[in-house]
Amino acid sequence: MTGKRPAPSGESRDSKPHKRQKTRDARTISVQGTGPCRSETIKFTADSLTGLPGSIDVEKFAEARTFEIGAMQTAMQNTRDDSSKRVFQTLPRHLRRRTASHDVRRVPLRLRVKARAEMDPVKKKKKLKALAKRGKGGDIGRTEKLKKRQREKTWLETHIWHAKRMKMENLWGYRLALHPTEKSFRPSHRAAVHGSILQDVSYFGTLEMKGPITLLKKVLSLCCDPQVPCGSSRYTFGGRLCDTHIYQVGAYPFDIIGPCALLWKPDDTSTPAPSGETTIAPSKSDSHRVVWLRCHPGIFDAMHRAIVESATTIFQKVSSQTSQSYQESEIEIADLRKEINAFEIIGPKANQVLAGALKLTKEAELASRKVWRTLKDLRSTASVPRGMVLGLKVHDPRLSFPPVNEKPSEKNDHPIPAPAFTISPSPDISKSRLWDEAVRDAVRKPKYKKKDLDHRRSKNLVPGTRLRPIQDDNRVDIILIQRTISPSAMVSTATKPHKGSASYSSPNSQPPLHGWTILLPAGWSMPFFSTLTHTGTRVGGIREHQTQHFEASAPHFPRDYVTTLAYEAFWTKRGEEEKAKWERTPKAKRVPYGAIGIRSPWRADWEVVLGIDTSDGGGDGHRGGGGAGGDGGDGEGLIPTQPPQAMEDILHAMLGDGESNDQEEHPGSEEQTTKRETEQSEPIVRPWLLHGHDVQTLLDDMARTETAEESAAILFKRVSTLREKKGLESISTSPEALMKGGLVPVRIRICGRGTPGDLGAIYRNDLTGEDEVKWREEASRAMKGKRKEVWADHGMGDGDDANPLDAAPDPSSIIGYITSGHFSLQLGKGYGLGSVSLPQLVEIMRKDMKEGWKYPCKLVKVRSREGVMCRAACLEINSL
């Protein structure tokens, strides 16, 4: 490569002196020569100015100073041309703007003229030949453009508001908000406990059933949880919501689909009894009723199929009964997913927020107005009966914008104690025209847009005053339902376990959360949503919804509902995402699951927990590592593609005629065949979930027995009694198989420090004798807050065996998994929700009863999937 051109001799490549000389010349003012300088000194005295003239001639003076004036103008022009800074560069640092170099308006007003002179002249763009205009048919409006973006998913009516402020994701056919983009995990929890938090739950599906009430009860009895009397008068009068679970037709306790809420339309023939209960007035003919079923969108199609199958089964049974008048009866099933919207507002200030944002109309029922006046003085919705239904008719909430939250009544600047809520659920206060399809269609589109109401508001004499409703304004029918987030076991207090019971729970359990569910017609989500959010109420997404259930010890669907198809779909999708992220992580920075004995870090192996899958794959009973065992080395974590017994069956089927020869060559094959036939004759073990308000009492009765067969007999009798009550056939499985396939929801409380994570393993306590005594003493002190860590001071042995929790537990001692594990803001410590094997739990309770352990009881070991150390934890019975 040739070098640069050599500089002429005597010249320097440095340009700085040249620029410096150029600047110096530009700043120099020429001076006219005056001849040789005189050396004498000029002296000035006090009378030196007496000889000067009193006036001068301007023209002669300017003519005499022509050279000096010209030299000054030339120097000014040279300085201006030679300036190395533009106007915006001469400004102080705090006044400079990035666009000042090309935008005159970014420069202070006093310098804009000079800055405009420094700008390059704007070049006019050459006009292109106009293209031919499209026809009107090719012009797509904004509404059509938005509809095209909803081909593969459905937007909620509040989608645009959420999309600007929240993380969005496609779930269950909808575009839903996961969580706010701002850091709001703790503020959202504080709002749910001390304030109020709002969520749009319009994605929950609503299914409507119409028909004779007797047929409706029979249809629901075939597919609903028999532990909840959804067809009793407690719910059928329409004043209370019924929370239950949907199963496949006649499959209870197997094949659970998911949770479901039933709401009956109020009936005029229902009258409340003096004790607060409701009775149905007898009628000669079977009255036609309407019932709504609301469920999660992930199971709506499955619930719909189960209801249709149940109705078909009922009509096949009654078709042969000629004595009844059901031959001409029918049941109508309608999908209301696009007709009913819903909000959930949780927190103690929910009453004041609703009372300030919603204004009742004069046409509202007198009983509803009485309840509405009582709500604003309540400190919490917990005072309202659980599941109470309230029908209201309100004005357009935009008329009273901006809303002002109501405040509880005060006297002498002191709050008056909240009055007792003595109003019982009744059809009078739960009636609503929202049940009428014609009314919903009439108000589907609001009469006035927001700009029309703003134009009316601008004509008010006093700015900011609310609009007065006129005859032409919309009146909206809504339904309020009291909402409580808590396990169903907390509802029943008739069978409260005593402190010495094996089912006793610690007194510091999380309190439930209370609020309201608002049902409103389609088309009115944004008018209500914008008004409710202007009251200072926080807005949450699915993460906040799950956190509320976690803090209230309530399992969240589908995350914590083991054995459901929605649970499998949820954890399969999450496992794929976590596995893809794990594979992208360098080996030096990711958890070596294979090396620490975790064979299935992406999902829980319930088959291994229940003893259904006995294949030996190493590790601690986890299955399907999906490459996670690669870091373990030497094939650790790999499993055979076919179990040995299944492979033998395949070989026998392939050989066919050669089976007799093989038996002659292998004398032990006959014994193996007999063993295989015995195994095949055993009943199939199917996983199922044990839940209900009296699970603790049932487990106590099972733990008091001496053998596992007696416990299985008690459980089998309990399930058979529930099935007979609903007219179902006797269960086909054996008591032992029913007992073996049971899973029980539990709460996990860490003894001391530590936080359980998702998919953490729960192990049985294998300690005995003095070791177990010391461990329980340390756990008891840690539960009471007197110790930070179990085994912190002394060990149970010498050397490396000082801490039994550091040793890897026996793979056969795993009894369950944690489905939701996190730090509980309500408890201020690690906490988790999960499920454990029913036989293993009964055995632990039986051991505690025999040895007299009262508190803490049901001690287990919990191991995170990212670590090897186990922590002591206490199990508590939970429910769905």
Side-chain angles (χ1 to χ4, degrees), residues 544-562:
E544 284 69 29
H545 195 259
Q546 188 270 334
T547 304
Q548 293 169 12
H549 285 72
F550 176 77
E551 295 293 346
S553 303
H556 185 259
F557 186 86
R559 181 191 184 109
D560 302 317
Y561 276 69
V562 186

Side-chain angles (χ1 to χ4, degrees), residues 218-232:
K218 292 183 178 180
V219 170
L220 295 176
S221 63
L222 284 183
C223 56
C224 288
D225 189 353
Q227 301 178 88
V228 181
C230 55
S232 66

